[in-house]
Amino acid sequence: MEHGKYRKETETVTFQGKEITLDNLIPVMTPEQEAAKRQELEQRLYDIFRKYAEARRAEEAGA
């Protein structure tokens, strides 16, 4: 999904005695786009969880 607009957040932090400026670009999305992205992320996380849960069950059944 391509995003045309970004919101910029700038923060200055200290790391090992030096000040570093961090620029964070955040895509500006409509509520519908945000919901679609969230649903996609949740589905991917669920798929990963299911993969490892199935592997664990197979391990336990074989033990």
Side-chain angles (χ1 to χ4, degrees):
M1 181 183 300
E2 289 290 320
H3 302 287
K5 290 185 173 184
Y6 290 86
R7 184 177 82 238
K8 182 177 180 179
E9 291 182 356
T10 302
E11 180 180 358
T12 302
V13 296
T14 303
F15 179 71
Q16 295 182 348
K18 298 179 182 179
E19 284 195 354
I20 299 171
T21 301
L22 302 174
D23 290 330
N24 188 16
L25 298 177
I26 302 164
V28 176
M29 296 186 273
T30 66
E32 293 81 14
Q33 289 171 321
E34 286 182 15
K37 270 296 196 196
R38 181 175 186 86
Q39 186 175 19
E40 177 187 355
L41 176 62
E42 288 174 352
Q43 184 61 48
R44 287 183 179 187
L45 289 172
Y46 176 76
D47 291 344
I48 292 168
F49 171 78
R50 194 175 76 204
K51 173 184 166 184
Y52 286 101
E54 288 172 1
R56 185 172 180 145
R57 266 190 241 126
E59 243 180 51
E60 290 173 354

